[in-house]
Amino acid sequence: MQLTAKANTLCLLEILKDYTDSEHMLKMGDIIAKMKSCYGLKVDRRTIYSCAAVLSEMGYGISTPSDNGEGYCLEEHDFDASEIRILMDSVYTNKAIEKEYSKNLIEKLRRLLPEYRRRRYANLLVMNTGRKTDNKEVFLNIEEIDEAIIGKKKISFTYLKYDFDKKLKPRKTEPYIVSPFSMVAANERYYMIGKCDFHKNDISHFRIDKIKNIKILDETADAAPKDFSLSSYTDSAVFMYGGECGRVTFKCDNVLLQNAVDKFGQDAYITKNDDATFDMTVSGSLEGLLYWSLHYPDCCEIIKPQELREKAIETLKKNKYGI
């Protein structure tokens, strides 16, 4: 389709976005040439003056030769290079985003940068693809869950698990029926928090990348408990384990301090014992806290509650090494 003069201002903006920033200017002749080569538009200097003035009136920071003595540029972009890199890296490492979606998202983010910067980011490939989900419905799931939460409706879906062929298979034949409360990102995954119809009195969480065939139902969703707090729930569900919550005290070697603070942050109550050990008390899912401690059996032990300490001991006795 042949563009008309009505597109001049928008096309100038796109050229300034693609080819300029405060370090890279375009002279008038360059802009006129790019308007022709990129969009097939024949413009003169007066047109560029007029379009640049309109963009300035709309709030875009357009620097002109009268300002900088060199050329035209868009002084600020929506995102700077470091912000784009953070977003690209987040997509790159996110296991919940399928391989092809990851590639497409990274390319979309790369196009937000000026052309000369895009080349610096061209080599960020989607590696570790074996750890990416196979489920292509993740973004559809997020949209549908969001719509259901806003509309206060229940949803039905097939919930999946990995089989020995490493393919996702249904956990059971009948669909899950859930009243969704919220969504959260944790442990490099996206989770939906809600109340499942066959666990009426419990709050449950579901991996969004393991949901397929989602449907919004006409049935009104059950309300979240009045005392429900998303932040409290995710903080207590260590590694997104559910089940009983409680307070656990650990005795740890000092070498574990950095990891402990990274994991539990300001919610951990830590006291130094000596130059070798510290005590730490944390509230959360007992199963999740047990699982965390078992990552470090050589430098972490559960002090209390006694029942959880005994469970840790029994778990360690059942190791596959026969020790």
Side-chain angles (χ1 to χ4, degrees):
M1 183 180 68
Q2 182 64 41
L3 295 176
T4 68
K6 293 179 179 179
N8 285 341
T9 303
L10 181 58
C11 292
L12 174 60
L13 176 61
E14 291 302 309
I15 287 171
L16 294 177
K17 283 183 177 180
D18 283 347
Y19 297 102
T20 74
D21 59 21
S22 58
E23 299 175 359
H24 297 79
M25 314 285 181
L26 284 178
K27 296 187 182 299
M28 178 64 75
D30 297 326
I31 293 177
I32 291 173
K34 287 192 178 296
M35 291 285 279
K36 175 64 176 176
S37 63
C38 295
Y39 300 107
L41 292 169
K42 287 185 177 182
V43 296
D44 56 24
R45 291 174 174 270
R46 287 180 298 177
T47 301
I48 300 302
Y49 295 147
S50 175
C51 292
V54 169
L55 292 174
S56 294
E57 290 175 7
M58 294 177 65
Y60 290 97
I62 308 297
S63 182
T64 68
S66 61
D67 302 318
N68 56 59
E70 185 175 345
Y72 289 83
C73 75
L74 185 64
E75 292 178 312
E76 292 186 6
H77 290 254
D78 292 336
F79 299 92
D80 64 33
S82 61
E83 291 170 333
I84 292 293
R85 185 56 192 253
I86 289 172
L87 293 172
M88 290 172 71
D89 287 347
S90 297
V91 173
Y92 171 83
T93 57
N94 195 314
K95 301 172 191 173
I97 306 177
E98 188 265 344
K99 175 185 173 182
E100 289 303 315
Y101 275 117
S102 296
K103 290 168 62 177
N104 293 337
L105 268 178
I106 286 172
E107 181 56 30
K108 287 179 180 178
L109 289 168
R110 202 166 67 89
R111 290 202 297 267
L112 293 174
L113 292 167
E115 192 273 340
Y116 82 96
R117 287 191 182 273
R118 292 177 199 168
R119 294 192 294 271
R120 301 182 187 179
Y121 293 81
N123 297 317
L124 182 61
L125 304 177
V126 181
M127 304 298 286
N128 299 322
T129 53
R131 301 178 67 197
K132 290 276 191 179
T133 182
D134 294 328
N135 189 354
K136 297 179 182 292
E137 297 182 18
V138 171
F139 291 106
L140 171 64
N141 291 343
I142 291 172
E143 289 181 10
E144 293 289 285
I145 293 168
D146 195 47
E147 184 175 339
I149 292 171
I150 293 171
K152 298 181 179 179
K153 297 293 184 182
K154 290 185 178 182
I155 57 173
S156 70
F157 55 87
T158 303
Y159 201 44
L160 308 174
K161 65 178 181 179
Y162 282 106
D163 209 339
F164 287 104
D165 60 1
K166 297 180 286 186
K167 301 296 183 183
L168 288 168
K169 307 289 176 62
R171 285 178 177 264
K172 59 179 187 175
T173 54
E174 65 270 24
Y176 283 66
I177 309 295
V178 172
S179 299
F181 303 154
S182 188
M183 291 180 282
V184 65
N187 306 323
E188 300 179 317
R189 303 290 187 186
Y190 293 120
Y191 294 86
M192 173 185 68
I193 315 297
K195 187 183 292 186
C196 195
D197 269 18
F198 54 81
H199 291 305
K200 279 285 188 180
N201 296 322
D202 294 328
I203 306 298
S204 303
H205 53 266
F206 301 86
R207 285 252 305 264
I208 292 177
D209 59 304
K210 290 189 175 181
I211 290 175
K212 284 183 76 75
N213 306 321
I214 190 169
K215 294 179 182 177
I216 299 176
L217 306 178
D218 290 333
E219 190 175 350
T220 301
D222 297 330
K226 291 183 178 179
D227 59 350
F228 174 73
S229 164
L230 178 62
S231 60
S232 297
Y233 180 85
T234 53
D235 287 346
S236 64
V238 183
F239 296 108
M240 293 310 288
Y241 270 79
E244 182 184 357
C245 292
R247 288 172 63 84
V248 179
T249 298
F250 305 93
K251 183 176 182 179
C252 307
D253 290 357
N254 286 347
V255 68
L256 198 55
L257 179 62
Q258 305 306 313
N259 183 287
V261 176
D262 281 344
K263 181 62 186 175
F264 301 108
Q266 300 302 314
D267 294 329
Y269 180 73
I270 294 175
T271 55
K272 182 179 179 180
N273 295 325
D274 48 42
D275 291 338
T277 66
F278 64 92
D279 286 351
M280 176 177 70
T281 300
V282 182
S283 296
S285 161
L286 294 179
E287 286 293 322
L289 292 169
L290 170 64
Y291 179 68
W292 179 81
S293 71
L294 293 176
H295 279 73
Y296 314 101
D298 60 331
C299 56
C300 175
E301 64 172 309
I302 296 172
I303 303 302
K304 57 183 180 182
Q306 184 63 29
E307 296 83 0
L308 197 65
R309 178 182 174 86
E310 291 172 359
K311 187 172 182 178
I313 293 169
E314 289 303 311
T315 301
L316 290 170
K317 286 180 179 178
K318 295 175 182 176
N319 72 83
K320 298 297 185 181
Y321 294 98
I323 300 173

